Structures are given as structure tokens and as C-alpha cells.
Amino acid sequence: MNSSSRQRRLTAAALTALAVATTATACGGGSGGTGSNAADSGTYTIWDPYPQFDKSSAWAKLLDSCGTEAGVKIKRTAFDTSDLSNKALLAAQQDNSADVLIVDNPVVSTLAEAGVLTTTDDNKLDTSKVDPNLLAAGQSDGKTYGTPIGANTLALYYNKEVLKEAGVDIASVKDWKSLTAALEKVKKAGKKGITFSAIGTEEGSFQFLPWFWGSGAKLTELDSVQGVLALSLWKDWLDKGYAPNSVISNTQTTSWQEFASGDYAFAENGTWQLAGAEKAGFDYGVLPIPGADGGNASAPTGGEFVTVPVQGDTGRYATSQKLVTCLTSTENLYDTDTTLSYVAPTSEVQDKQIASNAELKPWVDAVKAAKGRTSDDLGTKYPKISEQMWKAVQSALSGSTSPKDALGAAQSAVK
């Protein structure tokens, strides 16, 4: 495309990126920094959303070792997840992009549409081993932009002692009907049922999606019969006292804090809470979120893609490809995903993770059933759909309107 066309797309994408509120699953606290293509062609720049890892971390050392292997020096800058996409768009406008860019997966389509990223046809990345459902989050119009470094998703944590006291056999929980029956038993036993996040942000949409998709609904038709059933499920849980009214304002963090109190039978949360679960002081288990009629519901994928931005000097792509290949090799993926509490994007490494820690199996199962929020060629349409979805959830759960009317209004707004 010509430069003026790309500039217009970059400007439009910068506005879109402000609406892409990524789910807060990564650690916060960023280090600033600028710069990308170094004047010294022997130095390659990498931007990532992992400010929690300093220069002495295993992650930083891996970047340096991959640089050594490729025969170059690495200049790394870490940003907060929420800042990184805007910084990447600004750098592209200034023709000053990083050589390797690691971004939250919903942002990939925004950057791709703006012309910021090269395709795997351009940069020659091999994605043949990546699970197709995870790779789909980085695909748009039949083209692939980068490769996932790992994935996290949602599942149901459960408190074994609470379920035992209520006489609930976790093996009986296979669909919505049996889950609701379990919640009823828990309430009758004097305990609390389930907690989740239904806050009016992307976190609320992120947590509602497994139930929405688990009903068979599609994001292109928010007000379908299936979608209304999913929202009615949540509303019924609140009305019957199986879930607390606090879910309307809960973030995933505050929802977890409720579960960690030891009073709740279930909590919908992600892999990033594994460390907290170990410290909770009670015996817990993990169950993939069930679909309406059984099976594992598709939960949304979190996690980042390793991408190669467009460069004026296309000769740099060969080395960038070597760097990305090194970072996402089988050996390095295992170490990195263990550090990040991610499930690996390839079956080969997933098997290695389960062999090392059998408790990861339900998470691997959940990731295998997971789905990218921008999949199905939604791309940059997703943020608008998501905003209307979380508004509908808020409206229905607060009682201001029915699930059917709330989702009807949401669908009209999207159109």
C-alpha cells in the first residue's frame, strides 16, 4: 500500500486501540521507554508486556541468549499491556517500529488492519505446530500475523470441602442443569455458591463468553435464543442467591478474593490464579466450564502473540524470524510458559507440561476448547461487540431490564 494510505489506517487504528480494553491477566507496573530500530544494525529491539521481569530475570536472559544465537544484541523495552498497543501504533506512524513485538492477542487484528505487522508469508515464521484454535486469534482475512507464546483461559475452581459438606459429587457436574443443581445443594447446606466477574468492562465480557459460547451463541447475533439463555442463567443464579450481587462490580481479582475466603463452592477464574490457589489454605480442584448440554465450553483465550512489525529495511526480517523462532522453540516455550503460568500453544509442549504437573490437565483441556475473542474474522469489530455485551450483562443482572431486552438492545447498537 502507499504511505499515505498506511498513515490513514494507522491513525484510525490508534483510535480503535483506545477501545480495546484487554483483560487484566498480566502483572501491572510498567517501565517506560522508547526506541525501536537501532541505528546499529547489529542491535535488534524487542518490546514486550512483561514489566514484572527485570534484567536479571530468566525471561530477559532468554531474550539475550536468543540474540546471541542470532548473532545480534538485544535492546528490550517492557510496557504495561494497556500501553503497548498505542506505543506500537505511534512507533509505526513514525516508521520506528520494534523488530519483534509481543502483544495481547486481541490487539493483533487492530495492528494487522493498520498495516503495522508482517504476515507469516512475509517473515517466514513456521506456525505448523501451533494448535489451530490458538493461532486463529492472530489470523485475519486468511493471513496469519505472528505466533502465540502461550495461552491462558478460564475454568471453574472448586472448593472440595464445601462440596463435600453439601453432598455434591464433582463428577456429577457436566452441564448447566447439573451445575445449578450443585449450587442449590450448596446453598441449602448454608454455604455460598459461585462467584465471577460481571463488571462493566472487557473483564465482564471475558467472563461471560464461556457461557455465551457454551450456549451455542455467536458474537454476530447477541440476541439469539442461545445468548438469552446464557444471560438468563447468570440472572437466575443471582435471583436465587447462588451467586452474590457483588459480581456486578467484581473484577477477576475481587472475585478471586471472595473464593479465597473459603466460603464459596465455585469461582470462575483463570490460570493466573494458580499460585493464589496453592496459598488459599483449602483443598481445591479445577473443572473446565461446562457447555449448556455438556462437554467443555469454549472459553476466551488470553496470552500474547510474538509478531514481526513492518520495517523499511526488509532485510531485517530474516534475523527477526530467527529471534521469534528461538523464543517459541519447544525448549524455550516450556520454560517461559511455566514462568508465565501459561498453557503452551503446541501439543508437544502441553504434553511436557502435564507430565511435569498432572494438575495442569484440566487447564490444557480448557485451552484446547478455547477460542480467540477476535476469531471468526471478527477482528476489529470485537471491541464494539464486547462493549455492548458487557452493558447488556450489567443491565440484566442489575434488574433494570430483562436478559432478552438487554441483548436485543445490544444487538441493535452493534448494527
Side-chain angles (χ1 to χ4, degrees), residues 76-254:
R76 176 223 178 190
T77 307
F79 297 92
D80 284 336
T81 299
S82 56
D83 293 337
L84 187 52
S85 57
N86 289 327
K87 291 288 198 303
L89 285 163
L90 179 62
Q93 287 177 318
Q94 298 171 342
D95 292 324
N96 196 31
S97 292
D99 290 291
V100 175
L101 181 64
I102 303 171
V103 292
D104 198 20
N105 74 70
V107 177
V108 174
S109 58
T110 299
L111 298 180
E113 187 171 298
V116 175
L117 305 178
T118 61
T119 69
T120 50
D121 289 336
D122 298 327
N123 56 45
K124 310 305 178 188
L125 283 178
D126 180 8
T127 60
S128 60
K129 292 183 178 180
V130 178
D131 287 354
N133 67 313
L134 300 181
L135 191 63
Q139 294 175 323
S140 180
D141 294 328
K143 296 178 180 178
T144 303
Y145 299 87
T147 187
I149 198 167
N152 55 35
T153 195
L154 297 166
L156 294 179
Y157 287 86
Y158 59 89
N159 185 320
K160 293 183 179 181
E161 186 60 34
V162 170
L163 293 182
K164 182 179 179 181
E165 290 180 14
V168 174
D169 178 3
I170 193 62
S172 70
V173 179
K174 297 180 178 179
D175 52 23
W176 291 1
K177 183 178 179 180
S178 54
L179 175 58
T180 301
L183 295 175
E184 182 180 8
K185 286 185 176 181
V186 168
K187 186 186 178 187
K188 286 182 177 178
K191 292 291 186 177
K192 298 177 180 179
I194 186 169
T195 181
F196 48 87
S197 169
I199 194 171
T201 68
E202 174 63 17
E203 283 191 71
S205 290
F206 190 76
Q207 290 240 320
F208 182 58
L209 276 172
W211 311 96
F212 184 80
W213 282 333
S215 72
K218 297 180 180 179
L219 286 172
T220 51
E221 193 179 351
L222 292 176
D223 58 349
S224 67
V225 172
Q226 294 90 341
V228 173
L229 283 174
L231 187 47
S232 296
L233 178 75
W234 272 17
K235 175 59 174 169
D236 288 346
W237 285 351
L238 262 68
D239 289 346
K240 293 177 180 177
Y242 300 162
N245 287 325
S246 59
V247 299
I248 297 173
S249 58
N250 270 350
T251 64
Q252 292 181 107
T253 299
T254 55

Side-chain angles (χ1 to χ4, degrees), residues 7 54 141 153 181 193 197 214 237 353 373 381 406:
Q7 201 69 20
D54 62 20
D141 294 328
T153 195
S197 169
W237 285 351
Q353 288 180 306
R373 284 164 276 174
K381 297 175 186 175

Side-chain angles (χ1 to χ4, degrees), residues 179-382:
L179 175 58
T180 301
L183 295 175
E184 182 180 8
K185 286 185 176 181
V186 168
K187 186 186 178 187
K188 286 182 177 178
K191 292 291 186 177
K192 298 177 180 179
I194 186 169
T195 181
F196 48 87
S197 169
I199 194 171
T201 68
E202 174 63 17
E203 283 191 71
S205 290
F206 190 76
Q207 290 240 320
F208 182 58
L209 276 172
W211 311 96
F212 184 80
W213 282 333
S215 72
K218 297 180 180 179
L219 286 172
T220 51
E221 193 179 351
L222 292 176
D223 58 349
S224 67
V225 172
Q226 294 90 341
V228 173
L229 283 174
L231 187 47
S232 296
L233 178 75
W234 272 17
K235 175 59 174 169
D236 288 346
W237 285 351
L238 262 68
D239 289 346
K240 293 177 180 177
Y242 300 162
N245 287 325
S246 59
V247 299
I248 297 173
S249 58
N250 270 350
T251 64
Q252 292 181 107
T253 299
T254 55
S255 171
W256 179 258
Q257 290 168 349
E258 288 179 337
F259 179 68
S261 70
D263 295 329
Y264 282 85
F266 296 95
E268 179 185 357
N269 229 294
T271 46
W272 52 92
Q273 300 291 6
L274 281 170
E278 295 294 338
K279 298 175 183 177
F282 54 81
D283 201 6
Y284 75 94
V286 178
L287 179 75
I289 296 171
D293 299 318
N296 296 341
S298 291
T301 54
E304 291 78 40
F305 263 64
V306 189
T307 67
V308 178
V310 171
Q311 303 291 344
D313 178 6
T314 58
R316 297 181 72 85
Y317 296 154
T319 298
S320 295
Q321 186 265 351
K322 290 179 182 178
L323 293 172
V324 176
T325 298
C326 175
L327 291 174
T328 57
S329 68
T330 296
E331 179 183 353
N332 290 334
L333 271 179
Y334 176 79
D335 293 338
T336 297
D337 289 337
T338 298
T339 299
L340 296 172
S341 291
Y342 280 173
V343 171
T346 68
S347 294
E348 184 179 7
V349 183
Q350 289 167 3
D351 291 344
K352 189 176 179 182
Q353 288 180 306
I354 293 173
S356 175
N357 182 2
E359 292 182 0
L360 287 177
K361 188 178 187 309
W363 289 109
V364 170
D365 290 343
V367 163
K368 283 187 175 295
K371 189 174 181 178
R373 284 164 276 174
T374 58
S375 296
D376 298 331
D377 269 336
L378 286 178
T380 54
K381 297 175 186 175
Y382 173 75

